[in-house]
Amino acid sequence: MSQNNPDSWDPVRYLKYAGQRVRPALDLLARIPLENAHTITDLGCGPGNVVEHLSVRFPGARITGVDNSAEMLNQAKSNHGDTADWVQADVAGWSPKEPQDMIYSNAALHWLDHHEGVFSRLAGFVKPGGVLAVQMPNQFAEPSHALMRQVAEHGPWAETLKPLLREAPVAEPGRYYDWLAPLCDSVDIWQTAYMQVMEGDDPVLDWISSTALAPLRDALAPDQRGPFRDAVGAELRRAYPKRVDGKTLFAFRRLFIVAIKGTVKG
Ligand SMILES: C[S@@+](CC[C@H](N)C(=O)[O-])C[C@H]1O[C@@H](n2cnc3c(N)ncnc32)[C@H](O)[C@@H]1O
């Protein structure tokens, strides 16, 4: 099951932090040992900016970008139209027409629940000699997301928002190893916290406004949206004070998985 609200994605707001958002995508790409790939799918491709990097690393590959947000896909088509085939589908029920040399996903699969089933299924779509490569934010327990949930659970919006609050979507790293090791020949997992240097006032609120906060905000009546956002902002300002130079450090944890099936061919 997916917890993504496809209508809550705004590509322009999302791309405001394009540099910081693409960095883990490139770090993931750097650890993929394939020299050639003919078929690649980018799951949760969003506005298509990572597809562009995939096409540079694997020239000639047939790339498919899958996303269930029409807004995101429209942006992908208008900015990177010829780079990939674009498919509107929910990853939870998606399957490729043929097994892929690489299934790649940056910052998308944490929107899905029941990861054991999701990851086993995706590994099944990878060809022998191919790779499943995934990066997911692992920010659920960190102040940015924990405080947002805390504010959602209290106040006049609680009744509307409580049913939308999720269990932690990303499991302990070892669980992914246990799920993938029987299906793949090598499983490389690592975690990193990026100490993101953010400018301006309320940068953490601004960052989550285009991702985790969006489905909650959109579920509220228009007159509750501002007060809810302000209440979250006040908590975040306390948790992420400005540093000596007026900038804000926003620690952001991400989990990476590169699972290889069989022996990788060059
Ligand atoms: C944070 S954006 C990442 C976009 C892109 N991969 C990148 O690295 O910039 C997450 C994307 O995943 C998509 N998404 C989330 N859940 C999805 C699902 N169940 N099926 C398809 N796409 C999904 C969203 O629509 C959104 O475009």
Side-chain angles (χ1 to χ4, degrees), residues 38 40 42 47-65 75-86:
H38 303 292
I40 299 174
D42 180 0
N49 42 328
V50 179
V51 156
E52 206 58 52
H53 293 281
L54 295 173
S55 76
V56 170
R57 165 78 189 271
F58 298 105
R62 187 147 42 83
I63 304 178
T64 306
Q75 183 81 22
K77 285 176 198 164
S78 97
N79 289 356
H80 312 282
D82 296 337
T83 316
D85 297 325
W86 308 102

Side-chain angles (χ1 to χ4, degrees), residues 1-6 9 14-15 21-22 25 42-50 66-70 72-73 89-92 104-112 135 137 210-211:
M1 184 185 164
S2 168
Q3 296 293 334
N4 181 41
N5 174 359
W9 288 97
Y14 178 72
L15 287 171
R21 295 197 194 278
V22 86
D42 180 0
L43 294 177
C45 63
N49 42 328
V50 179
V66 176
D67 206 287
N68 65 351
S69 158
M72 286 296 213
L73 282 179
D90 190 323
V91 170
Y104 175 98
S105 182
N106 185 61
L109 296 186
H110 59 299
W111 287 103
L112 279 77
Q135 182 280 122
S210 62
T211 54

Side-chain angles (χ1 to χ4, degrees), residues 16-40:
K16 181 169 172 192
Y17 298 104
Q20 280 151 323
R21 295 197 194 278
V22 86
R23 180 174 164 188
L26 299 181
D27 290 348
L28 177 63
L29 199 50
R31 292 290 303 165
I32 293 168
L34 291 179
E35 283 185 21
N36 293 309
H38 303 292
T39 49
I40 299 174

